[in-house]
Amino acid sequence: MRRDAGLDLVKWLAMLSMLIDHLRYLWPDAYGLFIIGRLAFPLFCLSIAANVTRTHPGELFSEGNACYLGWLMVFSLISELPYRELSPESATLNVMPTLLLGLLVAWGVHHADRNSLLLATGALVLATLFHHQLMYGLVGVILPAAFMLGLRGMRWWWLPAVLAILANSRNRWLVGWGVTPETLAMFVIAGAAAPLGLALLRRSSSLRPWPVGRWGYWFYPGHLAAIYLVSP
């Protein structure tokens, strides 16, 4: 499959904004880091949607899909320990299980056959039952599928934008702060991630970022562990 420079650019932006966000564990008063970090989750969901749309509808049980699902499952487990060490007060799991269920729902939208729809339905049931335990909840699980509509036509850009805002609305930091200029900025950034990411994928660019391969899976638990080790 041909390398998509736009997709690599989206992945890099997602990882860098996530890293910037988590640096607040080193500098708790730097609220601006958290605001920038609202780009990360929507862009990771867009990356899943883009990867799914690059496969042929009807070819659900492929080696590539099995590897994709397997890597997400493995790193859902690997990432929990460093996430829990860095954020012991969190009431949710790390972000990987949300992305894993989101992949299953996206497959249902893309392949739309019996097997994929069964997987998608099962994922939605689990997301509903464990809404409070999943980072970004049920809305976060639906977000990759919403991005697939956005990839089919820019007229749908508003749907993932709205869902990205809703997914971020349940963040415990926002609940504690209430409605302030900072929280409003977070919602703006979360919503802007959708049209920004879709534009990066659609626009041809001379930029050729370093490809984000399977090493990217290690970035999530790796940077969490590194921040935990150097945190005061």
Side-chain angles (χ1 to χ4, degrees), residues 149-158 194-199 202:
L149 294 177
L151 290 170
R152 293 176 182 176
M154 279 299 290
R155 67 184 182 276
W156 289 102
W157 69 268
W158 60 270
L196 172 62
L198 290 169
R202 291 176 177 275

Side-chain angles (χ1 to χ4, degrees), residues 91-136:
T92 70
L93 300 169
N94 71 84
V95 75
M96 286 291 188
T98 305
L99 296 176
L100 188 156
L101 294 176
L103 172 64
L104 297 180
V105 176
W107 278 348
V109 172
H110 183 61
H111 297 286
D113 57 17
R114 185 182 65 178
N115 291 321
S116 64
L117 290 174
L118 283 173
L119 287 174
T121 301
L124 290 173
V125 170
L126 287 174
T128 301
L129 292 174
F130 296 99
H131 170 71
H132 296 292
Q133 288 76 35
L134 289 171
M135 191 181 294
Y136 301 103

Side-chain angles (χ1 to χ4, degrees), residues 19-209:
L19 175 61
I20 290 171
D21 176 20
H22 291 160
L23 288 176
R24 61 189 159 83
Y25 288 102
L26 301 178
W27 301 291
D29 294 331
Y31 301 127
L33 302 179
F34 184 71
I35 295 173
I36 295 171
R38 298 313 91 202
L39 286 171
F41 180 71
L43 292 179
F44 280 123
C45 290
L46 174 57
S47 299
I48 287 176
N51 281 324
V52 170
T53 56
R54 296 176 75 197
T55 62
H56 297 290
E59 296 182 2
L60 175 62
F61 297 111
S62 66
E63 181 179 354
N65 283 345
C67 288
Y68 200 177
L69 183 62
W71 281 105
L72 284 176
M73 292 176 67
V74 168
F75 279 90
S76 292
L77 298 174
I78 291 176
S79 302
E80 188 60 21
L81 178 59
Y83 173 72
R84 194 59 51 196
E85 291 292 333
L86 188 61
S87 186
E89 73 283 3
S90 176
T92 70
L93 300 169
N94 71 84
V95 75
M96 286 291 188
T98 305
L99 296 176
L100 188 156
L101 294 176
L103 172 64
L104 297 180
V105 176
W107 278 348
V109 172
H110 183 61
H111 297 286
D113 57 17
R114 185 182 65 178
N115 291 321
S116 64
L117 290 174
L118 283 173
L119 287 174
T121 301
L124 290 173
V125 170
L126 287 174
T128 301
L129 292 174
F130 296 99
H131 170 71
H132 296 292
Q133 288 76 35
L134 289 171
M135 191 181 294
Y136 301 103
L138 174 62
V139 178
V141 171
I142 298 172
L143 189 52
F147 267 118
M148 294 187 66
L149 294 177
L151 290 170
R152 293 176 182 176
M154 279 299 290
R155 67 184 182 276
W156 289 102
W157 69 268
W158 60 270
L159 181 58
V162 169
L163 291 181
I165 292 172
L166 291 176
N168 276 276
S169 67
R170 66 192 297 265
N171 190 284
R172 62 185 174 84
W173 286 54
L174 300 180
V175 173
W177 290 347
V179 179
T180 65
E182 289 81 7
T183 57
L184 293 177
M186 293 171 197
F187 288 138
V188 170
I189 293 297
L196 172 62
L198 290 169
L200 288 175
L201 284 179
R202 291 176 177 275
R203 181 182 177 184
S204 59
S205 173
S206 59
L207 292 176
R208 291 294 180 268

Side-chain angles (χ1 to χ4, degrees), residues 207-223:
L207 292 176
R208 291 294 180 268
W210 187 25
V212 180
R214 289 178 177 172
W215 64 266
Y217 288 105
W218 288 101
F219 183 85
Y220 180 56
H223 91 280

